[in-house]
Amino acid sequence: MRRSLIGRTWPNVIAVVLFVFFVFPVYWMIITAFKPTKDIVSKTPVFLPLDATFEHFKTATAVPKFWEYTANSFIVTVLAVVISLVIATMASFAVARMKFRGRKAFVLVIMAAQMAPWEVMTIAVYLISRDSEMLNSLVPLTAFYMMMVLPFTIWTLRGFIAAVPKELEESAMVDGCTRTQAFVKVIFPLLAPGLMSTSLFGFITAWNEFPLVLILNKTEGQTLPLWLSSFQTAFGNDWGATMAASTLFALPVLILFVFLQRKAVGGLTDGAVKG
């Protein structure tokens, strides 16, 4: 009985340790955003500020063009996710349901593209944007972000479509539906978990991207990751404003995750192993 108790206890202990390990940096970021400057620079760490302040949030949002950066981030992120979902839905259906020459090679290319570091394309994207006179524009950013999330989206949705019994689609076609109508009325509603999980992944990926926007959009069309870097200067770091900005920056992702968490967690596991 003692061994059984120990066997049940140590996984919970490890889980608690891992939880604290991963959550503590987030907790420290949030409480630092509310600390007065004297507590931030104090040699004695303050784990629970008693005199919380919103001054750092005011400093963070007072940066010129803050709302423009926010709008740009939402525009490129949402457009990249929506476009990638539309393309990936059609591509994953073709891979999962249709037989064509080069099908296996296409799947291998998708896997390779998913594993490749996107930083290697930075120079090529910059040259294309420069030659087409689209520097400081949101168009190259949206296209690049879409390409970043597209392989994962195709791979995940392929698993979901393959998991849907073909008999459902065939029954709809027997009842008079075309293949397109059978997909829209039968298969597409069953893809909700996959669509939510992939959209969450795509949103986080595009929302956090920094190197490309730093290179392509130096004067106009900047996004929130560049806003975060504005609190680090040659004269030092404004840690209070940096933590406040980081908290605001993480808030949309946190809200989206809370909204989609049930579908997203199941979608990531189901779509990755089925098919």
Side-chain angles (χ1 to χ4, degrees):
M1 182 179 295
R2 185 177 180 182
R3 290 183 179 180
S4 177
L5 180 61
I6 295 175
R8 292 196 303 267
T9 301
W10 72 262
N12 295 329
V13 173
I14 294 177
V16 171
V17 172
L18 290 176
F19 175 80
V20 173
F21 178 79
F22 288 108
V23 171
F24 181 77
V26 180
Y27 166 76
W28 194 254
M29 174 188 72
I30 295 174
I31 66 168
T32 303
F34 290 97
K35 290 179 184 179
T37 304
K38 63 181 181 61
D39 288 344
I40 296 177
V41 299
S42 174
K43 293 183 179 180
T44 303
V46 179
F47 293 93
L48 187 62
L50 299 178
D51 48 349
T53 178
F54 289 91
E55 288 300 321
H56 301 308
F57 289 94
K58 295 179 181 179
T59 302
T61 55
V63 173
K65 297 185 178 182
F66 163 70
W67 295 110
E68 180 182 337
Y69 294 170
T70 304
N72 290 340
S73 288
F74 275 106
I75 290 172
V76 297
T77 301
V78 172
L79 284 179
V81 171
V82 171
I83 295 173
S84 66
L85 285 177
V86 173
I87 297 176
T89 301
M90 295 184 289
S92 57
F93 179 80
V95 173
R97 284 287 193 261
M98 301 178 181
K99 295 182 180 180
F100 54 90
R101 183 176 298 178
R103 178 173 173 268
K104 293 183 178 180
F106 178 77
V107 174
L108 290 176
V109 169
I110 292 298
M111 295 179 63
Q114 183 177 338
M115 294 183 292
W118 290 103
E119 289 78 5
V120 299
M121 296 181 59
T122 302
I123 296 177
V125 173
Y126 173 80
L127 294 176
I128 294 174
S129 301
R130 183 199 62 185
D131 295 342
S132 58
E133 299 182 354
M134 287 194 298
L135 290 176
N136 300 312
S137 170
L138 299 181
V139 176
L141 284 180
T142 303
F144 186 80
Y145 293 167
M146 183 269 295
M147 291 187 295
M148 288 175 61
V149 302
L150 188 58
F152 175 84
T153 307
I154 294 176
W155 179 258
T156 305
L157 292 181
R158 167 188 171 272
F160 276 92
I161 294 176
V164 177
K166 291 183 179 180
E167 290 75 12
L168 294 177
E169 184 181 355
E170 292 172 352
S171 298
M173 296 175 67
V174 169
D175 291 338
C177 291
T178 63
R179 190 156 197 171
T180 302
Q181 292 174 333
F183 172 80
V184 173
K185 296 180 179 180
V186 178
I187 297 180
F188 187 76
L190 299 176
L191 296 181
L195 294 173
M196 290 183 180
S197 61
T198 52
S199 62
L200 178 61
F201 170 82
F203 188 93
I204 294 174
T205 302
W207 185 260
N208 293 333
E209 202 283 327
F210 175 76
L212 189 69
V213 68
L214 179 64
I215 296 174
L216 295 183
N217 296 29
K218 292 183 177 181
T219 58
E220 300 293 337
Q222 297 179 351
T223 56
L224 286 178
L226 287 181
W227 166 68
L228 281 176
S229 65
S230 64
F231 304 103
Q232 301 177 3
T233 66
F235 301 100
N237 297 328
D238 187 347
W239 292 114
T242 301
M243 294 299 105
S246 300
T247 302
L248 292 174
F249 182 73
L251 195 58
V253 177
L254 179 61
I255 294 174
L256 184 64
F257 177 78
V258 171
F259 181 72
L260 301 178
Q261 61 174 334
R262 291 185 179 180
K263 294 290 186 180
V265 173
L268 284 172
T269 54
D270 294 343
V273 299
K274 293 181 179 178

